[in-house]
Amino acid sequence: MSLPGGATSTERVDWIVGLGADPVRRNLLITQCYHDLSAALAGRLGAENANWCTFATWASRTAGRFIRDEEVPAAFRELLVGSPRVNGAVARANRALGWIDADVRLGEDKLVAVARRIVHDVGELITEGNLKVFSELGPVFSRTLDALDEDDNGAAMERVAASLLEGESDRGGQTLLRLALGGYAAVRRTEDPRRKAALMLLANARIGLHEQIRLQPYIAGSIDAPIRLTLFDPVDDAAACLPRGMRALSKGVLRVVLLGAANEAKRHWQELCTRELMTLALPGETLRLGSRLPSPRGAPLYPLLLDPVDDPQTLEFLRRHQAVRPAPVASGAVNWTKLADRMRYIIDLFRSRQRWGPLQNHPFSAEQQRQLAAGLPVTGRL
């Protein structure tokens, strides 16, 4: 089976977006396409500075764990079913149910079903967010590559930028993308390595801000999953089996009994999100997005060309997001659902790894690439 279009063509991007029946394969192909776009941009703008697609490659690869319904569901089920506090509350609820109807009870299967439903819903949110960003930015980068090949004076790039919608990102606009494309065009024209690095950082950060604004409802929905309400569902189902006059009172009593368990389940979920969902797996390291950003192995936190940053526009962007200097030792992204907290960390991440060579690695092994291109199940560690 051959994939349609060239590796970075709009035809390929559109085809990937259309793979609605196979979200797992679509995620793998999105990751591969981001890598192809990254490598193609590096060939035109210089491989010494990572572009936004380089970072997107690894973010998409990491998101695949949820989309494939792998490690996190099992971890959450284990936490939920193995929690003494949750099990104690369930036992009390079962005793209360037994007084009303001996045939109605909450078993481990109900807890497992709750865990599955929560993780499934969050997986769908992550899938939708990943697809939303790629379906918007994939074609933009594909057209950008064509424009960079068309001329050296920037006229073709200006036409691509002009095709984007003016306005704020949270209102459907694409002004940040317009500015970023102008930045990439300036990177190509610039000879000075320090200025080139600063312009690349600013362009990447503007795209990152646009992307994070687009992702805001998906990220907030994932971390603030309605754990308590979902855990109450089996209780509501049980109460529905009772005589009509007893349902409302029984539901209220049982919810009070389960309140502690629901709060415990919510705490488990938030801890799991911090540990599993809020991570970014890069070559040779896994970053915990709720913790302090470490330096790249064997290197300072920021590369020399970006410490200090002296380009006025880039410096102003860093100041606006309180990212001129590293965050205090004890802090990371304090609240990942808050855009301001998230952007501080992301800008720091972009700046610290922009000239870090391992980011240019391929996200898949040669055998996995062959399997993906052939339409076969992709095996091995992903």
Side-chain angles (χ1 to χ4, degrees):
M1 170 184 174
S2 60
L3 303 183
T8 62
S9 66
T10 54
E11 182 185 0
R12 173 73 60 85
V13 171
D14 291 343
W15 175 76
I16 293 172
V17 169
L19 292 174
D22 194 348
V24 170
R25 183 162 186 253
R26 183 175 62 195
N27 166 257
L28 296 173
L29 286 165
I30 287 174
T31 303
Q32 174 66 53
C33 191
Y34 274 139
H35 173 76
D36 293 335
L37 290 166
S38 168
L41 279 170
R44 292 155 176 82
L45 303 179
E48 65 277 7
N49 291 297
N51 55 70
W52 181 86
C53 290
T54 316
F55 293 99
T57 300
W58 299 102
S60 178
R61 186 177 185 272
T62 302
R65 289 180 310 157
F66 252 91
I67 294 170
R68 291 189 297 274
D69 197 32
E70 286 178 347
E71 302 151 14
V72 176
F76 185 52
R77 287 197 297 272
E78 184 178 339
L79 280 172
L80 194 59
V81 174
S83 167
R85 190 172 179 186
V86 171
N87 283 321
V90 168
R92 291 192 296 276
N94 279 329
R95 284 196 295 273
L97 283 168
W99 298 331
I100 303 168
D101 188 335
D103 294 328
V104 178
R105 68 184 311 278
L106 304 176
E108 183 176 309
D109 60 321
K110 298 281 189 182
L111 294 181
V112 170
V114 166
R116 283 186 180 279
R117 175 178 161 186
I118 291 167
V119 176
H120 173 76
D121 290 349
V122 169
E124 287 199 336
L125 279 172
I126 293 172
T127 301
E128 290 171 18
N130 189 41
L131 178 61
K132 182 179 181 67
V133 169
F134 178 74
S135 61
E136 178 185 18
L137 297 187
V140 171
F141 280 109
S142 178
R143 299 201 316 270
T144 295
L145 290 171
D146 292 340
L148 288 170
D149 288 341
E150 189 172 324
D151 58 50
D152 292 325
N153 62 14
M157 283 286 282
E158 288 178 8
R159 288 195 294 274
V160 174
S163 72
L164 302 176
L165 191 64
E166 281 193 54
E168 304 283 337
S169 298
D170 58 355
R171 298 181 180 180
Q174 297 174 306
T175 294
L176 281 169
L177 295 184
R178 284 184 166 204
L179 293 171
L181 293 189
Y184 281 153
V187 166
R188 193 181 200 190
R189 296 191 301 268
T190 300
E191 297 290 337
D192 178 64
R194 179 175 287 276
R195 176 165 167 74
K196 184 186 284 279
L199 290 174
M200 182 67 90
L201 174 59
L202 179 58
N204 290 342
R206 281 171 165 164
I207 298 170
L209 178 56
H210 176 84
E211 170 212 20
Q212 291 302 314
I213 291 171
R214 290 284 202 254
L215 287 175
Q216 180 63 22
Y218 303 99
I219 292 171
S222 298
I223 296 176
D224 293 335
I227 307 298
R228 286 172 54 175
L229 294 178
T230 306
L231 190 58
F232 287 147
D233 285 350
V235 167
D236 296 345
D237 293 342
C241 299
L242 303 173
R244 183 179 298 275
M246 301 176 63
R247 289 176 191 171
L249 178 60
S250 300
K251 185 187 297 186
V253 169
L254 291 170
R255 282 192 169 211
V256 169
V257 170
L258 275 183
L259 182 59
N263 288 334
E264 184 78 355
K266 182 177 181 180
R267 182 180 68 81
H268 281 317
W269 176 254
Q270 289 174 337
E271 289 177 356
L272 191 70
C273 278
T274 300
R275 190 171 75 244
E276 301 291 346
L277 175 58
M278 290 168 51
T279 63
L280 178 62
L282 301 178
E285 64 176 346
T286 297
L287 302 180
R288 306 294 178 186
L289 306 184
S291 303
R292 181 179 63 87
L293 178 67
S295 300
R297 187 174 300 173
L301 179 62
Y302 301 141
L304 294 179
L305 289 182
L306 290 171
D307 191 17
V309 171
D310 48 22
D311 173 70
Q313 277 192 306
T314 308
L315 191 57
E316 172 56 28
F317 191 94
L318 298 182
R319 285 189 179 125
R320 197 180 318 140
H321 294 278
Q322 300 182 344
V324 175
R325 299 309 307 160
V329 172
S331 70
V334 177
N335 185 341
W336 202 249
T337 65
K338 289 185 178 179
L339 178 64
D341 285 359
R342 214 160 61 240
M343 277 309 301
R344 165 69 188 272
Y345 186 96
I346 289 169
I347 293 168
D348 251 4
L349 169 65
F350 283 1
R351 185 178 174 188
S352 73
R353 267 64 175 177
Q354 181 171 305
R355 298 178 66 83
W356 191 52
L359 274 189
Q360 309 292 342
N361 294 352
H362 202 289
F364 304 126
S365 69
E367 176 60 15
Q368 288 171 335
Q369 294 172 56
R370 185 193 69 77
Q371 292 168 340
L372 188 58
L376 300 171
V378 178
T379 58
R381 184 170 178 79
L382 290 168

